[in-house]
mmCIF file of all heavy atoms in Angstrom:
data_model
loop_
_atom_site.group_PDB
_atom_site.id
_atom_site.type_symbol
_atom_site.label_atom_id
_atom_site.label_comp_id
_atom_site.label_asym_id
_atom_site.label_seq_id
_atom_site.Cartn_x
_atom_site.Cartn_y
_atom_site.Cartn_z
ATOM 1 N N ILE A 1650 -21.016 -22.855 -16.499
ATOM 2 C CA ILE A 1650 -20.003 -22.960 -17.565
ATOM 3 C C ILE A 1650 -20.016 -21.703 -18.427
ATOM 4 O O ILE A 1650 -18.960 -21.132 -18.729
ATOM 5 C CB ILE A 1650 -20.269 -24.228 -18.425
ATOM 6 C CG1 ILE A 1650 -19.966 -25.480 -17.589
ATOM 7 C CG2 ILE A 1650 -19.443 -24.197 -19.716
ATOM 8 C CD1 ILE A 1650 -20.449 -26.783 -18.211
ATOM 9 N N ARG A 1651 -21.213 -21.256 -18.780
ATOM 10 C CA ARG A 1651 -21.301 -20.066 -19.634
ATOM 11 C C ARG A 1651 -20.765 -18.818 -18.934
ATOM 12 O O ARG A 1651 -20.192 -17.938 -19.580
ATOM 13 C CB ARG A 1651 -22.735 -19.857 -20.123
ATOM 14 C CG ARG A 1651 -23.065 -20.769 -21.327
ATOM 15 C CD ARG A 1651 -24.531 -20.704 -21.728
ATOM 16 N NE ARG A 1651 -24.995 -19.335 -21.885
ATOM 17 C CZ ARG A 1651 -26.232 -18.909 -21.580
ATOM 18 N NH1 ARG A 1651 -27.117 -19.763 -21.098
ATOM 19 N NH2 ARG A 1651 -26.561 -17.652 -21.766
ATOM 20 N N SER A 1652 -20.953 -18.727 -17.624
ATOM 21 C CA SER A 1652 -20.436 -17.541 -16.922
ATOM 22 C C SER A 1652 -18.904 -17.522 -16.952
ATOM 23 O O SER A 1652 -18.288 -16.468 -17.145
ATOM 24 C CB SER A 1652 -20.981 -17.475 -15.488
ATOM 25 O OG SER A 1652 -20.431 -18.486 -14.671
ATOM 26 N N ILE A 1653 -18.302 -18.695 -16.799
ATOM 27 C CA ILE A 1653 -16.829 -18.763 -16.859
ATOM 28 C C ILE A 1653 -16.358 -18.431 -18.283
ATOM 29 O O ILE A 1653 -15.400 -17.666 -18.474
ATOM 30 C CB ILE A 1653 -16.324 -20.160 -16.430
ATOM 31 C CG1 ILE A 1653 -16.740 -20.451 -14.982
ATOM 32 C CG2 ILE A 1653 -14.799 -20.257 -16.582
ATOM 33 C CD1 ILE A 1653 -16.456 -21.882 -14.524
ATOM 34 N N GLU A 1654 -17.038 -19.001 -19.244
ATOM 35 C CA GLU A 1654 -16.679 -18.722 -20.643
ATOM 36 C C GLU A 1654 -16.811 -17.230 -20.965
ATOM 37 O O GLU A 1654 -15.988 -16.663 -21.687
ATOM 38 C CB GLU A 1654 -17.566 -19.545 -21.594
ATOM 39 C CG GLU A 1654 -17.225 -21.032 -21.577
ATOM 40 C CD GLU A 1654 -18.188 -21.872 -22.400
ATOM 41 O OE1 GLU A 1654 -19.259 -21.368 -22.813
ATOM 42 O OE2 GLU A 1654 -17.869 -23.056 -22.622
ATOM 43 N N ALA A 1655 -17.854 -16.612 -20.411
ATOM 44 C CA ALA A 1655 -18.045 -15.171 -20.640
ATOM 45 C C ALA A 1655 -16.846 -14.397 -20.099
ATOM 46 O O ALA A 1655 -16.358 -13.446 -20.731
ATOM 47 C CB ALA A 1655 -19.336 -14.705 -19.971
ATOM 48 N N GLY A 1656 -16.358 -14.801 -18.920
ATOM 49 C CA GLY A 1656 -15.190 -14.143 -18.335
ATOM 50 C C GLY A 1656 -13.950 -14.318 -19.209
ATOM 51 O O GLY A 1656 -13.155 -13.381 -19.383
ATOM 52 N N ILE A 1657 -13.807 -15.503 -19.780
ATOM 53 C CA ILE A 1657 -12.675 -15.760 -20.685
ATOM 54 C C ILE A 1657 -12.781 -14.836 -21.910
ATOM 55 O O ILE A 1657 -11.796 -14.210 -22.323
ATOM 56 C CB ILE A 1657 -12.647 -17.254 -21.109
ATOM 57 C CG1 ILE A 1657 -12.335 -18.140 -19.886
ATOM 58 C CG2 ILE A 1657 -11.624 -17.483 -22.230
ATOM 59 C CD1 ILE A 1657 -12.494 -19.641 -20.139
ATOM 60 N N GLU A 1658 -13.980 -14.751 -22.451
ATOM 61 C CA GLU A 1658 -14.187 -13.891 -23.629
ATOM 62 C C GLU A 1658 -13.875 -12.424 -23.320
ATOM 63 O O GLU A 1658 -13.221 -11.749 -24.109
ATOM 64 C CB GLU A 1658 -15.647 -14.001 -24.115
ATOM 65 C CG GLU A 1658 -15.981 -15.306 -24.815
ATOM 66 C CD GLU A 1658 -17.494 -15.567 -24.850
ATOM 67 O OE1 GLU A 1658 -18.279 -14.599 -24.727
ATOM 68 O OE2 GLU A 1658 -17.875 -16.743 -24.991
ATOM 69 N N VAL A 1659 -14.363 -11.955 -22.181
ATOM 70 C CA VAL A 1659 -14.118 -10.556 -21.809
ATOM 71 C C VAL A 1659 -12.616 -10.313 -21.672
ATOM 72 O O VAL A 1659 -12.082 -9.332 -22.192
ATOM 73 C CB VAL A 1659 -14.845 -10.196 -20.488
ATOM 74 C CG1 VAL A 1659 -14.400 -8.827 -19.989
ATOM 75 C CG2 VAL A 1659 -16.354 -10.237 -20.674
ATOM 76 N N PHE A 1660 -11.937 -11.227 -20.982
ATOM 77 C CA PHE A 1660 -10.491 -11.043 -20.815
ATOM 78 C C PHE A 1660 -9.807 -11.019 -22.170
ATOM 79 O O PHE A 1660 -8.968 -10.147 -22.442
ATOM 80 C CB PHE A 1660 -9.867 -12.154 -19.949
ATOM 81 C CG PHE A 1660 -8.371 -12.013 -19.885
ATOM 82 C CD1 PHE A 1660 -7.795 -11.160 -18.952
ATOM 83 C CD2 PHE A 1660 -7.536 -12.647 -20.800
ATOM 84 C CE1 PHE A 1660 -6.422 -10.957 -18.919
ATOM 85 C CE2 PHE A 1660 -6.165 -12.455 -20.777
ATOM 86 C CZ PHE A 1660 -5.610 -11.602 -19.833
ATOM 87 N N GLU A 1661 -10.134 -11.983 -23.001
ATOM 88 C CA GLU A 1661 -9.414 -12.085 -24.279
ATOM 89 C C GLU A 1661 -9.652 -10.866 -25.159
ATOM 90 O O GLU A 1661 -8.749 -10.409 -25.861
ATOM 91 C CB GLU A 1661 -9.752 -13.404 -24.979
ATOM 92 C CG GLU A 1661 -9.116 -14.561 -24.187
ATOM 93 C CD GLU A 1661 -9.196 -15.919 -24.853
ATOM 94 O OE1 GLU A 1661 -9.987 -16.075 -25.805
ATOM 95 O OE2 GLU A 1661 -8.453 -16.816 -24.401
ATOM 96 N N ASN A 1662 -10.828 -10.329 -25.086
ATOM 97 C CA ASN A 1662 -11.126 -9.122 -25.836
ATOM 98 C C ASN A 1662 -10.272 -7.940 -25.343
ATOM 99 O O ASN A 1662 -9.713 -7.180 -26.143
ATOM 100 C CB ASN A 1662 -12.618 -8.796 -25.710
ATOM 101 C CG ASN A 1662 -13.051 -7.723 -26.666
ATOM 102 O OD1 ASN A 1662 -12.690 -7.748 -27.843
ATOM 103 N ND2 ASN A 1662 -13.811 -6.759 -26.167
ATOM 104 N N GLU A 1663 -10.143 -7.824 -24.040
ATOM 105 C CA GLU A 1663 -9.320 -6.741 -23.479
ATOM 106 C C GLU A 1663 -7.831 -6.979 -23.745
ATOM 107 O O GLU A 1663 -7.067 -6.043 -23.935
ATOM 108 C CB GLU A 1663 -9.565 -6.602 -21.969
ATOM 109 C CG GLU A 1663 -10.957 -6.125 -21.625
ATOM 110 C CD GLU A 1663 -11.328 -4.818 -22.320
ATOM 111 O OE1 GLU A 1663 -10.455 -3.918 -22.399
ATOM 112 O OE2 GLU A 1663 -12.468 -4.695 -22.788
ATOM 113 N N TYR A 1664 -7.445 -8.238 -23.729
ATOM 114 C CA TYR A 1664 -6.049 -8.598 -23.985
ATOM 115 C C TYR A 1664 -5.629 -8.127 -25.381
ATOM 116 O O TYR A 1664 -4.516 -7.636 -25.576
ATOM 117 C CB TYR A 1664 -5.899 -10.115 -23.851
ATOM 118 C CG TYR A 1664 -4.492 -10.632 -24.043
ATOM 119 C CD1 TYR A 1664 -3.530 -10.460 -23.053
ATOM 120 C CD2 TYR A 1664 -4.131 -11.302 -25.217
ATOM 121 C CE1 TYR A 1664 -2.240 -10.939 -23.215
ATOM 122 C CE2 TYR A 1664 -2.848 -11.786 -25.388
ATOM 123 C CZ TYR A 1664 -1.902 -11.603 -24.393
ATOM 124 O OH TYR A 1664 -0.627 -12.081 -24.558
ATOM 125 N N GLN A 1665 -6.541 -8.259 -26.313
ATOM 126 C CA GLN A 1665 -6.262 -7.818 -27.686
ATOM 127 C C GLN A 1665 -5.973 -6.317 -27.747
ATOM 128 O O GLN A 1665 -5.185 -5.844 -28.565
ATOM 129 C CB GLN A 1665 -7.465 -8.102 -28.605
ATOM 130 C CG GLN A 1665 -7.790 -9.567 -28.817
ATOM 131 C CD GLN A 1665 -6.597 -10.388 -29.275
ATOM 132 O OE1 GLN A 1665 -5.796 -9.930 -30.097
ATOM 133 N NE2 GLN A 1665 -6.422 -11.578 -28.717
ATOM 134 N N LYS A 1666 -6.611 -5.585 -26.854
ATOM 135 C CA LYS A 1666 -6.449 -4.125 -26.862
ATOM 136 C C LYS A 1666 -5.156 -3.688 -26.184
ATOM 137 O O LYS A 1666 -4.800 -2.499 -26.249
ATOM 138 C CB LYS A 1666 -7.636 -3.478 -26.114
ATOM 139 C CG LYS A 1666 -8.989 -3.696 -26.751
ATOM 140 C CD LYS A 1666 -10.066 -2.998 -25.913
ATOM 141 C CE LYS A 1666 -11.457 -3.447 -26.281
ATOM 142 N NZ LYS A 1666 -12.459 -3.025 -25.276
ATOM 143 N N GLY A 1667 -4.486 -4.605 -25.515
ATOM 144 C CA GLY A 1667 -3.282 -4.253 -24.764
ATOM 145 C C GLY A 1667 -3.563 -4.342 -23.282
ATOM 146 O O GLY A 1667 -4.423 -3.605 -22.773
ATOM 147 N N LEU A 1668 -2.876 -5.224 -22.607
ATOM 148 C CA LEU A 1668 -3.164 -5.475 -21.191
ATOM 149 C C LEU A 1668 -1.941 -6.148 -20.577
ATOM 150 O O LEU A 1668 -1.532 -7.229 -21.005
ATOM 151 C CB LEU A 1668 -4.401 -6.386 -21.118
ATOM 152 C CG LEU A 1668 -5.053 -6.711 -19.775
ATOM 153 C CD1 LEU A 1668 -6.420 -7.353 -20.004
ATOM 154 C CD2 LEU A 1668 -4.195 -7.635 -18.937
ATOM 155 N N HIS A 1669 -1.351 -5.500 -19.587
ATOM 156 C CA HIS A 1669 -0.175 -6.071 -18.924
ATOM 157 C C HIS A 1669 -0.477 -6.669 -17.562
ATOM 158 O O HIS A 1669 0.262 -7.501 -17.060
ATOM 159 C CB HIS A 1669 0.907 -5.000 -18.751
ATOM 160 C CG HIS A 1669 1.472 -4.488 -20.028
ATOM 161 N ND1 HIS A 1669 1.507 -3.158 -20.353
ATOM 162 C CD2 HIS A 1669 2.022 -5.139 -21.084
ATOM 163 C CE1 HIS A 1669 2.062 -3.003 -21.541
ATOM 164 N NE2 HIS A 1669 2.374 -4.181 -22.016
ATOM 165 N N ILE A 1670 -1.525 -6.167 -16.934
ATOM 166 C CA ILE A 1670 -1.892 -6.676 -15.607
ATOM 167 C C ILE A 1670 -3.395 -6.483 -15.451
ATOM 168 O O ILE A 1670 -3.941 -5.472 -15.896
ATOM 169 C CB ILE A 1670 -1.081 -5.964 -14.492
ATOM 170 C CG1 ILE A 1670 -1.340 -6.583 -13.108
ATOM 171 C CG2 ILE A 1670 -1.347 -4.456 -14.457
ATOM 172 C CD1 ILE A 1670 -0.312 -6.164 -12.045
ATOM 173 N N VAL A 1671 -4.056 -7.464 -14.849
ATOM 174 C CA VAL A 1671 -5.514 -7.382 -14.754
ATOM 175 C C VAL A 1671 -5.964 -7.486 -13.305
ATOM 176 O O VAL A 1671 -5.459 -8.306 -12.540
ATOM 177 C CB VAL A 1671 -6.191 -8.467 -15.624
ATOM 178 C CG1 VAL A 1671 -5.960 -9.874 -15.083
ATOM 179 C CG2 VAL A 1671 -7.693 -8.203 -15.771
ATOM 180 N N GLY A 1672 -6.903 -6.631 -12.944
ATOM 181 C CA GLY A 1672 -7.517 -6.689 -11.624
ATOM 182 C C GLY A 1672 -8.921 -7.232 -11.734
ATOM 183 O O GLY A 1672 -9.574 -7.100 -12.770
ATOM 184 N N THR A 1673 -9.380 -7.860 -10.662
ATOM 185 C CA THR A 1673 -10.730 -8.404 -10.640
ATOM 186 C C THR A 1673 -11.612 -7.534 -9.756
ATOM 187 O O THR A 1673 -11.187 -7.085 -8.700
ATOM 188 C CB THR A 1673 -10.728 -9.831 -10.064
ATOM 189 O OG1 THR A 1673 -10.243 -9.782 -8.714
ATOM 190 C CG2 THR A 1673 -9.842 -10.753 -10.886
#
Side-chain angles (χ1 to χ4, degrees):
Chain A
I1650 291 168
R1651 279 173 50 215
S1652 70
I1653 299 172
E1654 288 174 348
I1657 293 171
E1658 287 161 22
V1659 171
F1660 175 85
E1661 290 188 345
N1662 191 45
E1663 293 305 319
Y1664 182 75
Q1665 295 307 320
K1666 296 180 194 167
L1668 187 167
H1669 295 126
I1670 186 165
V1671 68
T1673 61

